Amino acid sequence: MGNKQTVFTHEQLEAYQDCTFFTRKEIMRLFYRYQDLAPQLVPLDYTSCPDVKVPYELIGSMPELKDNPFRQRIAQVFSEDGDGHMTLDNFLDMFSVMSEMAPRDLKAYYAFKIYDFNNDDYICAWDLEQTVTKLTRGELSTEEVSLICEKVLDEADGDHDGRLSLEDFQNMILRAPDFLSTFHICI
Amino acid sequence: MSAYRNSAYEEDPDYPDYSGSQNHTQRYLKSPGPLNNSDEPSTRSNPYPAESRTSPDYLGSLAEPDYPGSQSNPDYPGTMSHPYSAGTDYPKPLAEPEYIGSRRNPYQPGSSGDPDYSQFQRNPDFPGSKGSGNYTGSRINPDYLDSLGEPDYPGAQENLNSSGPRASSNHPGSRRNPEHASPRVKAYIDSLGEPDYPGAESQSNHPHFFGEPDYLRAEDHRNSPNFWGEPDYPGAENGHDYGSSEDPEMARQMLSRTSSVQPPFHYEDVSPLGVLGENDYPESIEMKSVGMANPYPGAPGNGYVNPAYVGDEGPGPAYGDPPLSGHDWLSSPQGQELIESLIPMTSRDRIKAIRNQPRTMEEKRNLRKMVDKEKSKKSRRILELNCCAQCLNSISLAYRRFKNNLSELLNSISLWQKTLKVIGGKFGTSVLSYFNFLRWLLKFNIFSFIVTFSFIIIPQLTVMEKNHLQFTGLEFLTGAGYFTNTVMYYGFYTNSTIQHDNSGASYNMQLAYIFTIGGCLVVCFFSLLFSMARYFRNNFINPHIYSRGIAKLIFCWDFTVTHESAVKLKQKNLSTEIRFLANHSNPGAVLLLPFVVSCINLVVPRFYSMFRLVERYEMPRHEVYTLLIRNIFLKISIIGILCYYWLNIVALDSEECWETLIGQEIYRLLLMDFVFSLADSLLGEFLRRIIGMRLITSLGLQEFDIARNVLELIYAQTLVWIGTFFCPLLPFIQMITLFLMFYVKNISLMMNFQPPSKAWRASQMMTFFIFLLFFPSFTGVLCTLAITIWRLKPSADCGPFRGLSFFIESIYRWIDTLNQTPSYLWVVWIYQNLIGSVHFFFILTLIVLIITYLYWQITEGRKIMIRLLHEQIINEGKDKMFLIDKLIKLQGMEKRANPTLFTLERRDLEQWGPQHVRQHDAPRDLRFRQSFQEDNPKA
């Protein structure tokens, strides 16, 4: 308890609890994880809300993300300005969305952002190619990749505009029950 | 859509008039001239309405930000493109609701003067509209009306022909007009170069971003209010130009098509929210979140692109908020609305709603703060006198705190957090689900143990007699001997009422026994039921639309996996599976075979293992299912035969204390099962690894058989549930077993197994397991115990029920005794009228059946609704394609009419689209702008 009070004020903790899907203990655990990433950068006192960002290189080297093919995208999507450098808030946001408790729609929304590589609010064929390449480590040939993209679009593109909108994506996620358990990072 | 916008932006130069002119200022300065000819019929060629009409979707949004001219309108662009920043930059206040209506004021007079306009507005049978319901839904939107009304301007129609989105970019004007080109480029660079776009900064950026290039012109127009105030905005010359060069008939056709398409588009906006609001779904949470999905920041064509729309009439204002960063957003009308809608909620719902906002922490925190502030303000105002409500408030706060603490406490005892994480990281969610299941069962057993220990065992221990039997150590295996006379078995328990020191407090062992076991089972029943329902709800939302397509294979990457080699293996497996799915489109047909095979295998269980060697399945899942079904039948038959043997042979043989005998047998079964599992894990799996690695390297490492392992757990759990009655300590034993099992399996897993190559559907598996645990297992246990308690005669010389003719008789007797004490008559009444009464159960069943039927009907209705909505989406797509075709055709015609134009590839246009969209959608995507610059090689 004593430790908690030096890091966050009571109000801060409560706000974090209300804004994330974490308990107090988990928030503290996440904070220490965050602090561990850059001990010389992150102060142990957050009561004055210091403006600290941990660079992407450190975020991406977390064991949870290190081998994730989408780590860069995840960091970009959750960081404030899309460069992957994260404040504590961003960090908590990220794990909150990736936690077990987050509802499907929230997860789907961020998953969409992650898969939308060029940030045009649509998952277009190019985004899909990126995704497939990342997923398969480039083991598929170009023809296979484009065939797959075609199939995916064919399957999920509800309004036939040649790309997946957020609605299309959510619609599809609804049909993929595994999504909830797989779009999840243990902390 | 971006394509349209893009073109809208470049549309300007399409007017032959303007292509010649060197800048927009000239253009606008010029236009007041024709103003004077307010009687000219060609006044209708006013470019603004034309713009909005050319865009097949989201008229409001399209009409705006791209259109340089529109930005010069002090009223018009600011609010349309960025209602939020506009507040500071433009005199027109944002929050003004009539704004949308008044937005088009400059044109309104003209439009109302047009007889067709009003007619259009009121005509419910709008040609081609997808359905009157949709139409009315969208009709409320003034924006929509405007856009519908406008097509009637003849001049506008003519404009349309020249302003096809694709053609526009072909127009040389767009290249020649330096004034026009430069803002576009500049804005683009700006948007990318801006590293940070948070909070208040965005305000200064917006105008710069969008408005700046044309800002001067806007000033011009402000300085000439006459221009805007003029009812008719005449472009006499333009009108002539267009009129002469285009085919009006075509345009008209086109227009009617356009407008007929509009209703569905608007409907799309409204429908999820509207449907939600109106139908009053009982599970509002689930559905609410669906509705919520729509106006998410990224939702194209929703709150953002057409902010006027959502902010205006959207029935789901709570979620219909376009994203702005931080305070901007909160002080916006949408933010205010959200806050308003949050205030009346209970604190639990409110936190839930805030949590589910797809916003940054800071925004959520501010939102929370503001809501709290508003709430306290309100409550102070309204509830000042009402101390009761205040009391309630503080109680709810206290309750929340308590719940937080409780959940923290429960979380803190969550076992094996780290181990589970490692397992998940190395083997993925599927194997993890086995261990989660194990942990879940362990919790069950801990609970059962605590209950039985405190209510049965401790009281019994206080009156324990001396055990005269010899302890040899063999008892651990047989469970008999010394253990027979301990608290472990039924036979040891006393049938008397325990009373110490004449203190008055007494403890009826009979009742305690039956109620404890009963309570345990009831709690297990409900927790099973609820977790089963939750899994079903999450995983089988709509089974009939469930597809085994390729798309979800791609988007359901297992983010839990963190181990490097596991990631690589997974990627490899995924590529094989993707390849497979891409080439085989109908995997469903082969499902029949494994099912038939599994049935035959049931009949011939001896060939069971041999069949496994021979069988080859195309889809790994089928093999899993076959295996599962076989195993289930095997386990069911084993337990079924055992139960029959116990209840019909052992119990009726009236041997001495048959309950204890059954308890011992169950103990032995469990122990054997455990020993075999241990041996299998430590020896069998180890040997298999040695063989796989050293001797027959072609076999390789084995994979963790989730199905078999989970079924073993279920089997053991079933035995424990049955046995709890005969051996109250069984949950404790199982607790230890599971605890050990976790570590053994964990070690074995890490040493002997490789990550599964099969595509396990973890969540579905988990649902299936819990269902299995509920259906054959737990219900079977309930039946067995019911038969035992109601039908069987307890043994005469041992156990708490000795001397009774049935176990249930203890309850009867208890009721009888209660009947004599007047203060407990209500218990008797409840018993006689509710529990003991057939009529009550009959009525209860009837009510439950009716409710079930109603729910079933609701589900059916929703299924139809979903189908309709799906069709709607498809129709919209078709409409869109039709429109695009039409527009391309029109452009072709224009090209023929004006052969000097050069062609820009459609693809180029599409490429430009997204980037361009980004420019004026910047507020919604502040966080991603930077990354866009880095990421997009196309940029």
Side-chain angles (χ1 to χ4, degrees):
Chain A
M1 277 312 255
N3 233 347
K4 268 179 212 169
Q5 269 139 19
T6 54
V7 180
F8 298 114
T9 62
H10 191 67
E11 287 72 35
Q12 271 178 315
L13 257 184
E14 205 157 75
Y16 278 133
Q17 266 178 292
D18 283 356
C19 298
T20 62
F21 296 94
F22 293 128
T23 62
R24 206 168 289 222
K25 200 179 147 199
E26 285 168 321
I27 290 168
M28 290 316 291
R29 185 161 64 207
L30 276 172
F31 169 75
Y32 287 120
R33 288 299 307 276
Y34 181 74
Q35 211 261 338
D36 272 353
L37 288 177
Q40 70 288 1
L41 212 65
V42 183
L44 272 166
D45 175 22
Y46 253 72
T47 45
S48 53
C49 306
D51 183 27
V52 176
K53 280 186 180 179
V54 170
Y56 166 70
E57 292 71 36
L58 294 173
I59 298 277
S61 67
M62 285 180 73
E64 283 85 356
L65 293 174
K66 184 166 56 73
D67 292 300
N68 193 317
F70 297 104
R71 63 182 176 282
Q72 199 186 355
R73 282 300 301 161
I74 298 173
Q76 281 168 349
V77 163
F78 284 98
S79 60
E80 223 150 74
D81 14 347
D83 50 7
H85 309 328
M86 291 185 132
T87 64
L88 178 67
D89 283 2
N90 301 149
F91 190 76
L92 286 173
D93 257 341
M94 171 169 79
F95 282 105
S96 173
V97 169
M98 302 304 261
S99 79
E100 239 173 322
M101 303 296 293
R104 184 189 304 266
D105 280 310
L106 192 67
K107 279 179 182 271
Y109 172 75
Y110 281 102
F112 182 82
K113 287 274 172 216
I114 287 170
Y115 293 124
D116 178 16
F117 281 79
N118 55 10
N119 296 319
D120 62 352
D121 296 320
Y122 288 99
I123 294 181
C124 56
W126 185 78
D127 294 326
L128 280 176
E129 276 169 34
Q130 294 296 306
T131 311
V132 173
T133 322
K134 280 203 190 297
L135 280 181
T136 57
R137 274 190 306 157
E139 279 187 13
L140 302 185
S141 66
T142 330
E143 292 83 43
E144 276 172 323
V145 170
S146 58
L147 178 73
I148 286 158
C149 295
E150 229 172 77
K151 286 227 167 204
V152 172
L153 283 177
D154 197 44
E155 224 171 70
D157 184 13
D159 52 6
H160 301 288
D161 59 353
R163 54 199 179 166
L164 303 182
S165 63
L166 181 63
E167 285 84 17
D168 291 331
F169 187 76
Q170 282 174 327
N171 215 335
M172 186 194 61
I173 287 304
L174 218 57
R175 287 183 272 165
D178 267 353
F179 174 75
L180 261 190
S181 57
T182 54
F183 196 71
H184 167 54
I185 294 178
C186 310
I187 44 135
Chain B
M1 230 188 71
S2 49
Y4 297 138
R5 294 176 175 209
N6 186 16
S7 60
Y9 191 83
E10 298 182 45
E11 221 159 325
D12 221 85
D14 286 342
Y15 304 107
D17 238 17
Y18 299 143
S19 61
S21 75
Q22 282 312 294
N23 62 45
H24 293 277
T25 319
Q26 271 182 16
R27 165 196 174 179
Y28 284 102
L29 289 175
K30 213 159 125 193
S31 39
L35 259 177
N36 306 328
N37 325 325
S38 46
D39 298 333
E40 275 274 354
S42 52
T43 45
R44 274 77 188 259
S45 64
N46 175 346
Y48 301 101
E51 295 296 338
S52 57
R53 226 158 305 112
T54 50
S55 51
D57 43 359
Y58 308 113
L59 300 184
S61 62
L62 280 176
E64 29 101 355
D66 306 316
Y67 186 55
S70 68
Q71 280 166 359
S72 56
N73 179 345
D75 291 342
Y76 179 63
T79 24
M80 280 309 285
S81 47
H82 338 275
Y84 312 104
S85 57
T88 54
D89 292 311
Y90 296 102
K92 202 87 181 174
L94 273 168
E96 217 172 292
E98 317 88 271
Y99 180 68
I100 294 138
S102 61
R103 178 173 58 81
R104 286 173 189 271
N105 266 347
Y107 318 117
Q108 291 280 24
S111 57
S112 56
D114 191 319
D116 281 345
Y117 180 67
S118 49
Q119 196 196 332
F120 250 100
Q121 271 190 24
R122 271 145 217 163
N123 184 6
D125 303 315
F126 198 76
S129 85
K130 287 296 163 208
S132 54
N134 309 349
Y135 183 63
T136 31
S138 40
R139 209 165 39 153
I140 3 168
N141 188 354
D143 202 11
Y144 174 61
L145 290 180
D146 277 354
S147 55
L148 276 181
E150 280 158 16
D152 279 2
Y153 292 101
Q157 286 173 7
E158 285 150 17
N159 263 351
L160 174 72
N161 289 338
S162 62
S163 53
R166 311 227 185 276
S168 57
S169 46
N170 299 344
H171 205 286
S174 62
R175 296 278 177 268
R176 272 186 221 143
N177 186 343
E179 174 78 13
H180 180 69
S182 63
R184 188 186 68 185
V185 173
K186 189 182 171 200
Y188 182 54
I189 290 166
D190 273 353
S191 74
L192 288 174
E194 200 68 44
D196 214 342
Y197 211 113
E201 272 172 45
S202 63
Q203 283 207 341
S204 56
N205 281 343
H206 290 184
H208 172 70
F209 192 5
F210 298 107
E212 189 109 278
D214 298 308
Y215 197 69
L216 285 174
R217 267 174 283 127
E219 289 293 336
D220 285 349
H221 291 300
R222 272 196 212 139
N223 294 340
S224 57
N226 272 346
F227 172 76
W228 294 106
E230 204 64 39
D232 280 335
Y233 181 65
E237 285 175 352
N238 320 350
H240 281 302
D241 285 349
Y242 290 126
S244 57
S245 63
E246 302 304 335
D247 176 7
E249 191 50 41
M250 191 64 175
R252 189 171 290 280
Q253 194 190 341
M254 181 66 210
L255 269 172
S256 65
R257 183 72 195 162
T258 315
S259 28
S260 75
V261 170
Q262 282 155 9
F265 276 114
H266 283 276
Y267 179 57
E268 186 190 25
D269 274 352
V270 184
S271 59
L273 298 170
V275 165
L276 285 170
E278 285 152 23
N279 285 9
D280 195 22
Y281 285 102
E283 315 101 20
S284 54
I285 297 163
E286 193 79 10
M287 300 309 288
K288 217 191 276 171
S289 57
V290 173
M292 202 178 109
N294 225 15
Y296 271 173
N302 258 315
Y304 291 123
V305 188
N306 193 354
Y309 188 77
V310 171
D312 184 37
E313 295 291 348
Y319 301 102
D321 41 281
L324 277 187
S325 43
H327 291 287
D328 280 355
W329 164 66
L330 286 170
S331 52
S332 72
Q334 278 78 22
Q336 290 296 334
E337 260 175 73
L338 177 64
I339 292 171
E340 284 294 318
S341 69
L342 284 174
I343 289 169
M345 288 186 189
T346 62
S347 56
R348 185 163 161 262
D349 287 346
R350 196 168 58 234
I351 289 170
K352 208 167 188 174
I354 291 173
R355 266 180 196 163
N356 292 356
Q357 292 287 323
R359 295 178 187 289
T360 60
M361 184 77 72
E362 182 152 7
E363 288 163 12
K364 281 188 283 191
R365 213 168 13 204
N366 287 331
L367 176 68
R368 178 176 167 274
K369 218 184 288 166
M370 283 182 91
V371 172
D372 280 351
K373 213 168 64 191
E374 290 285 317
K375 181 137 180 137
S376 64
K377 224 191 286 170
K378 248 187 195 165
S379 62
R380 222 176 299 140
R381 212 184 317 133
I382 301 166
L383 306 174
E384 218 152 40
L385 301 169
N386 197 344
C387 82
C388 199
Q390 256 173 349
C391 214
L392 270 177
N393 230 16
S394 59
I395 286 175
S396 81
L397 197 75
Y399 171 71
R400 219 181 79 207
R401 291 240 165 90
F402 168 75
K403 242 187 66 184
N404 274 342
N405 289 336
L406 191 77
S407 73
E408 227 151 89
L409 192 78
L410 285 180
N411 249 317
S412 66
I413 55 170
S414 74
L415 267 171
W416 302 318
Q417 175 93 26
K418 281 219 173 82
T419 327
L420 286 176
K421 188 175 148 189
V422 173
I423 292 170
K426 211 168 171 186
F427 294 90
T429 14
S430 48
V431 176
L432 188 65
S433 72
Y434 165 80
F435 285 90
N436 272 326
F437 189 68
L438 193 151
R439 196 173 61 157
W440 193 73
L441 284 180
L442 182 71
K443 280 180 190 165
F444 253 112
N445 284 300
I446 290 175
F447 167 78
S448 302
F449 169 66
I450 289 171
V451 172
T452 53
F453 187 74
S454 43
F455 291 106
I456 305 178
I457 297 170
I458 289 182
Q460 181 61 39
L461 282 174
T462 59
V463 292
M464 201 163 67
E465 293 156 30
K466 184 99 182 72
N467 192 348
H468 299 293
L469 292 170
Q470 196 77 47
F471 183 76
T472 57
L474 198 70
E475 284 88 349
F476 277 118
L477 274 182
T478 62
Y482 178 80
F483 284 148
T484 315
N485 275 356
T486 59
V487 283
M488 205 156 128
Y489 294 116
Y490 167 92
F492 185 67
Y493 289 86
T494 172
N495 67 340
S496 59
T497 299
I498 300 166
Q499 199 161 14
H500 289 287
D501 306 335
N502 302 321
S503 56
S506 63
Y507 197 84
N508 188 333
M509 203 59 207
Q510 255 177 26
L511 288 179
Y513 204 95
I514 203 160
F515 277 137
T516 307
I517 305 284
C520 237
L521 288 177
V522 166
V523 170
C524 285
F525 175 81
F526 280 108
S527 65
L528 255 180
L529 191 70
F530 285 135
S531 42
M532 194 170 69
R534 202 184 66 229
Y535 273 100
F536 267 105
R537 194 178 59 212
N538 283 339
N539 300 322
F540 295 94
I541 292 179
N542 203 345
H544 77 270
I545 58 164
Y546 174 72
S547 78
R548 41 188 76 245
I550 194 170
K552 62 174 194 299
L553 209 71
I554 288 183
F555 293 121
C556 286
W557 169 259
D558 196 342
F559 283 74
T560 337
V561 179
T562 54
H563 201 266
E564 194 190 345
S565 64
V567 171
K568 278 193 183 133
L569 189 78
K570 208 157 179 72
Q571 283 171 328
K572 203 169 149 237
N573 291 333
L574 201 66
S575 36
T576 8
E577 190 156 352
I578 285 176
R579 225 180 250 147
F580 174 83
L581 269 184
N583 299 326
H584 299 74
S585 51
N586 186 17
V590 286
L591 247 176
L592 194 69
L593 181 75
F595 183 74
V596 174
V597 172
S598 72
C599 286
I600 297 167
N601 267 306
L602 186 77
V603 184
V604 200
R606 286 195 304 184
F607 293 112
Y608 172 78
S609 51
M610 285 159 69
F611 264 67
R612 263 197 78 193
L613 293 174
V614 178
E615 282 164 354
R616 286 280 173 274
Y617 295 105
E618 232 179 313
M619 291 291 289
R621 212 176 311 124
H622 302 156
E623 193 186 326
V624 171
Y625 282 132
T626 330
L627 202 68
L628 261 176
I629 291 168
R630 280 178 202 159
N631 275 309
I632 291 160
F633 277 111
L634 194 71
K635 307 276 180 200
I636 288 178
S637 36
I638 290 173
I639 290 178
I641 290 168
L642 282 173
C643 284
Y644 179 82
Y645 168 70
W646 290 329
L647 299 185
N648 282 345
I649 296 170
V650 177
L652 298 184
D653 269 357
S654 56
E655 265 181 74
E656 191 189 330
C657 212
W658 57 267
E659 293 94 342
T660 302
L661 287 184
I662 293 178
Q664 285 171 357
E665 219 149 56
I666 292 175
Y667 172 81
R668 280 195 290 266
L669 276 170
L670 266 180
L671 198 77
M672 276 299 126
D673 189 57
F674 176 61
V675 168
F676 269 80
S677 295
L678 272 189
D680 185 41
S681 301
L682 293 179
L683 221 73
E685 285 160 5
F686 175 71
L687 279 179
R688 172 66 180 69
R689 183 183 70 141
I690 299 291
I691 291 169
M693 298 297 283
R694 301 271 160 80
L695 302 178
I696 313 165
T697 39
S698 64
L699 281 175
L701 275 178
Q702 59 190 329
E703 286 166 16
F704 191 71
D705 190 349
I706 301 166
R708 190 172 54 85
N709 282 291
V710 166
L711 281 171
E712 267 167 24
L713 287 182
I714 292 177
Y715 168 74
Q717 189 59 43
T718 315
L719 284 179
V720 169
W721 274 327
I722 295 177
T724 311
F725 187 80
F726 305 105
C727 173
L729 261 183
L730 220 51
F732 176 69
I733 293 158
Q734 180 67 2
M735 211 174 84
I736 296 168
T737 313
L738 285 177
F739 198 79
L740 292 176
M741 197 64 127
F742 182 89
Y743 287 106
V744 170
K745 285 281 175 199
N746 183 25
I747 292 165
S748 173
L749 185 74
M750 291 299 168
M751 283 175 56
N752 303 331
F753 290 93
Q754 60 170 350
S757 60
K758 290 170 189 164
W760 279 92
R761 285 159 206 294
S763 59
Q764 257 178 313
M765 278 292 155
M766 197 66 188
T767 320
F768 188 56
F769 294 151
I770 291 183
F771 178 74
L772 277 182
L773 192 67
F774 183 76
F775 174 58
S777 162
F778 192 73
T779 42
V781 170
L782 282 186
C783 292
T784 315
L785 288 182
I787 290 173
T788 313
I789 288 169
W790 264 273
R791 286 288 145 91
L792 295 182
K793 186 180 185 310
S795 40
D797 313 317
C798 64
F801 300 97
R802 65 190 86 164
L804 301 179
S805 48
F806 295 109
F807 289 94
I808 195 70
E809 215 179 285
S810 61
I811 302 278
Y812 299 156
R813 290 193 178 183
W814 177 57
I815 294 294
D816 282 346
T817 52
L818 281 183
N819 217 351
Q820 283 144 27
T821 43
S823 55
Y824 286 110
L825 274 181
W826 57 274
V827 181
V828 181
W829 187 90
I830 287 176
Y831 176 78
Q832 280 170 353
N833 289 294
L834 299 183
I835 297 167
S837 153
V838 180
H839 296 108
F840 173 73
F841 275 100
F842 181 72
I843 293 167
L844 193 74
T845 316
L846 211 67
I847 292 171
V848 168
L849 278 180
I850 288 169
I851 292 173
T852 314
Y853 179 73
L854 284 179
Y855 269 101
W856 185 61
Q857 283 303 315
I858 289 171
T859 322
E860 288 299 303
R862 272 187 212 157
K863 270 184 201 159
I864 293 170
M865 191 72 186
I866 289 169
R867 213 194 58 229
L868 287 179
L869 287 175
H870 200 74
E871 275 168 19
Q872 188 90 47
I873 293 172
I874 291 169
N875 277 338
E876 269 162 33
K878 280 183 192 155
D879 285 341
K880 214 193 255 176
M881 293 326 284
F882 177 83
L883 263 176
I884 290 170
D885 283 351
K886 270 284 182 228
L887 284 168
I888 290 169
K889 241 182 242 168
L890 282 171
Q891 284 163 19
M893 284 172 64
E894 191 204 356
K895 232 180 285 165
R896 272 198 298 281
N898 202 351
T900 54
L901 308 179
F902 67 84
T903 320
L904 191 67
E905 281 298 310
R906 172 180 167 165
R907 210 152 25 103
D908 285 9
L909 206 111
E910 293 262 334
Q911 260 183 33
W912 270 107
Q915 297 159 7
H916 192 76
V917 166
R918 291 200 50 71
Q919 293 178 30
H920 51 100
D921 284 350
R924 90 162 101 142
D925 255 336
L926 304 178
R927 332 170 48 182
F928 310 118
R929 271 180 52 223
Q930 183 70 27
S931 68
F932 168 71
Q933 184 189 18
E934 294 165 1
D935 271 15
N936 188 357
K938 287 189 182 181

